[in-house]
Amino acid sequence: MEFGLEQTIALLVRTPAVLDTLLRDLPDSCVLQDEGENTWSACDVVGHLIHGENTDWMPRAKRILEFGESRPFEPFDRFAHKEKQSEISSMPQLLDEFARLRTENLVHLRALDLQPEDLLRRGLHPALGIVTLSELLATWAAHDLTHLHQISRILAYPYRDAVGPWSRFLGVLHCAGHSAASYRSGNE
Amino acid sequence: MEFGLEQTIALLVRTPAVLDTLLRDLPDSCVLQDEGENTWSACDVVGHLIHGENTDWMPRAKRILEFGESRPFEPFDRFAHKEKQSEISSMPQLLDEFARLRTENLVHLRALDLQPEDLLRRGLHPALGIVTLSELLATWAAHDLTHLHQISRILAYPYRDAVGPWSRFLGVLHCAGHSAASYRSGNE
């Protein structure tokens, strides 16, 4: 096991509060703005995190523990939140829903009382093949951080001209996201 | 003016609380860890933000308003916080100091009661040449976001192997920072 489960949970616990502190009550112009065609706003990102809480992390952890490699995960649709936007549309509602689901999921995760041997158990990802429970939980935390990284970039986007010659010193203005092309169109 | 001053202040106000929520009481292994040789830890980043509050943003704004282009800014030393680390070393102390200074600086910024014509006033950067007050204030907010972007990357660093095959979907694990080489060794 290459990461500590308690450290991972410490990060997972924080994400809803971090996003709440950063995004609640920001003007709509900030939270609805994206980075151009086919990119996401901060609202889209929180919607995507909500979808992950509902369908990705804990459902997949349970599938590994129940079925091992014999039954692959359901594919995770990265764009499902786009269909949900008519149901939950304001940032405060999105933040409340994300915090509620994350709290519930971490209660369930702790209740599993995972032991080192459980973390080595293997499951079947529909695109990536064999993965372990340890890798899934590490990915949950790193996925939060990928989207915090993305939100900092989205919020900086309106400043790319306004900063004038300082632009070269501001790495966030020159970030294009780094995820594999398959991520942009595929599922996780 | 290509950005709203109130929107910029809304971001600047949030940064200390966002970093506090993300970093306070995380294990030392998280906040002291860096990304390898000649890179920064989260503690280094907060130390750097403190140094900016003390010597960069408001001192430069005041210099523009008092001296215009006739007197260049003092160079900003990106590595000054390394010398200060013996004075303030724990993350809670760093977060407290950053929050205190940011609050003071925003009180001073609001007290200037800047008008649109003030934002067009010009100053002299020792390396970049002519800059405007508007550009300086936009850079202050974008600089916060650059370092939030960096901290999300630093915290994700220990997960780069632990996530297994999911790595390709996690952009934060593939980010190298994007700032110009001159930034790494020079001053802002």
Side-chain angles (χ1 to χ4, degrees), chain B residues 31-61:
Chain B
V31 298
L32 295 175
Q33 145 233 312
D34 58 27
E35 299 174 277
E37 199 176 358
N38 294 322
T39 64
W40 290 4
S41 68
C43 274
D44 289 329
V45 175
V46 182
H48 167 75
L49 291 171
I50 287 171
H51 187 63
E53 294 304 303
N54 278 320
T55 69
D56 190 333
W57 314 108
M58 285 306 293
R60 287 180 171 188

Side-chain angles (χ1 to χ4, degrees), chain A:
Chain A
M1 192 184 165
E2 299 182 54
F3 70 103
L5 185 56
E6 282 308 311
Q7 188 166 314
T8 294
I9 292 175
L11 290 170
L12 291 171
V13 164
R14 280 165 169 74
T15 307
V18 169
L19 297 184
D20 199 286
T21 308
L22 183 60
L23 298 173
R24 188 180 294 266
D25 302 329
L26 270 188
D28 277 355
S29 58
C30 290
V31 298
L32 295 175
Q33 144 233 311
D34 58 28
E35 300 174 276
E37 199 176 356
N38 294 324
T39 64
W40 290 4
S41 67
C43 274
D44 289 328
V45 175
V46 182
H48 166 76
L49 291 171
I50 287 170
H51 187 63
E53 294 304 303
N54 278 320
T55 70
D56 190 334
W57 313 108
M58 284 307 293
R60 288 180 169 188
K62 289 174 186 163
R63 182 154 298 187
I64 290 175
L65 294 171
E66 285 174 32
F67 298 100
E69 300 162 48
S70 68
R71 195 166 150 189
F73 306 150
E74 301 301 326
F76 178 71
D77 179 358
R78 288 184 64 243
F79 300 99
H81 63 277
K82 290 282 190 187
E83 293 161 23
K84 293 268 185 183
Q85 279 188 340
S86 55
E87 296 169 33
I88 304 181
S89 58
S90 79
M91 181 56 88
Q93 282 177 295
L94 289 162
L95 291 166
D96 288 344
E97 180 69 355
F98 176 48
R100 185 183 71 74
L101 291 167
R102 175 60 59 91
T103 300
E104 273 182 19
N105 279 330
L106 292 180
V107 167
H108 293 154
L109 177 63
R110 288 190 184 281
L112 293 175
D113 189 24
L114 295 173
Q115 301 303 309
E117 59 271 25
D118 297 321
L119 293 167
L120 299 175
R121 293 183 65 175
R122 291 146 59 109
L124 188 59
H125 186 287
L128 299 176
I130 301 291
V131 292
T132 66
L133 180 55
S134 173
E135 289 167 347
L136 176 70
L137 298 176
T139 300
W140 192 0
H143 182 265
D144 277 11
L145 292 167
T146 277
H147 287 294
L148 180 59
H149 188 255
Q150 179 186 22
I151 287 173
S152 67
R153 199 182 68 224
I154 296 168
L155 294 177
Y157 186 76
Y159 289 95
R160 64 202 183 287
D161 294 324
V163 299
W166 271 288
S167 175
R168 74 182 77 168
F169 298 150
L170 298 165
V172 74
L173 300 178
H174 305 283
C175 180
H178 321 284
S179 287
S182 60
Y183 177 78
R184 298 179 199 283
S185 57
N187 69 70
E188 298 166 43

Side-chain angles (χ1 to χ4, degrees), chain A residues 8 14 24 146 159 178 180, chain B residues 8 14 24 159 168 172 178:
Chain A
T8 294
R14 280 165 169 74
R24 188 180 294 266
T146 277
Y159 289 95
H178 321 284
Chain B
T8 295
R14 280 164 168 74
R24 188 179 294 265
Y159 290 94
R168 74 182 77 167
V172 73
H178 321 283

Side-chain angles (χ1 to χ4, degrees), chain A residues 149 152 172 175, chain B residues 145-153 175 178:
Chain A
H149 188 255
S152 67
V172 74
C175 180
Chain B
L145 292 166
T146 277
H147 288 294
L148 181 60
H149 188 256
Q150 179 186 22
I151 287 172
S152 66
R153 200 181 68 222
C175 178
H178 321 283

Side-chain angles (χ1 to χ4, degrees), chain B residues 17-187:
Chain B
V18 169
L19 296 184
D20 199 286
T21 308
L22 182 60
L23 300 173
R24 188 179 294 265
D25 302 328
L26 271 188
D28 277 355
S29 59
C30 290
V31 298
L32 295 175
Q33 145 233 312
D34 58 27
E35 299 174 277
E37 199 176 358
N38 294 322
T39 64
W40 290 4
S41 68
C43 274
D44 289 329
V45 175
V46 182
H48 167 75
L49 291 171
I50 287 171
H51 187 63
E53 294 304 303
N54 278 320
T55 69
D56 190 333
W57 314 108
M58 285 306 293
R60 287 180 171 188
K62 288 175 188 164
R63 183 156 296 185
I64 290 175
L65 294 170
E66 285 174 32
F67 298 100
E69 299 162 49
S70 68
R71 197 166 149 188
F73 305 150
E74 302 300 327
F76 177 71
D77 179 357
R78 287 184 64 243
F79 300 98
H81 62 278
K82 290 282 191 186
E83 293 160 23
K84 294 268 187 184
Q85 279 188 340
S86 55
E87 296 169 33
I88 304 180
S89 59
S90 79
M91 182 56 88
Q93 283 178 294
L94 288 163
L95 291 166
D96 289 344
E97 180 70 356
F98 177 48
R100 185 182 71 75
L101 291 167
R102 175 59 60 90
T103 300
E104 273 182 19
N105 278 330
L106 292 180
V107 167
H108 293 154
L109 177 63
R110 288 191 185 280
L112 292 175
D113 190 24
L114 294 173
Q115 302 302 308
E117 60 271 24
D118 296 321
L119 293 167
L120 299 174
R121 292 182 66 176
R122 291 147 56 110
L124 188 59
H125 186 287
L128 300 175
I130 300 292
V131 293
T132 66
L133 180 55
S134 173
E135 289 166 347
L136 176 70
L137 298 176
T139 299
W140 192 0
H143 182 265
D144 277 10
L145 292 166
T146 277
H147 288 294
L148 181 60
H149 188 256
Q150 179 186 22
I151 287 172
S152 66
R153 200 181 68 222
I154 296 168
L155 294 177
Y157 186 76
Y159 290 94
R160 65 201 182 287
D161 295 324
V163 298
W166 270 288
S167 175
R168 74 182 77 167
F169 298 150
L170 298 165
V172 73
L173 300 178
H174 305 283
C175 178
H178 321 283
S179 287
S182 59
Y183 177 77
R184 298 180 199 282
S185 57
N187 69 71

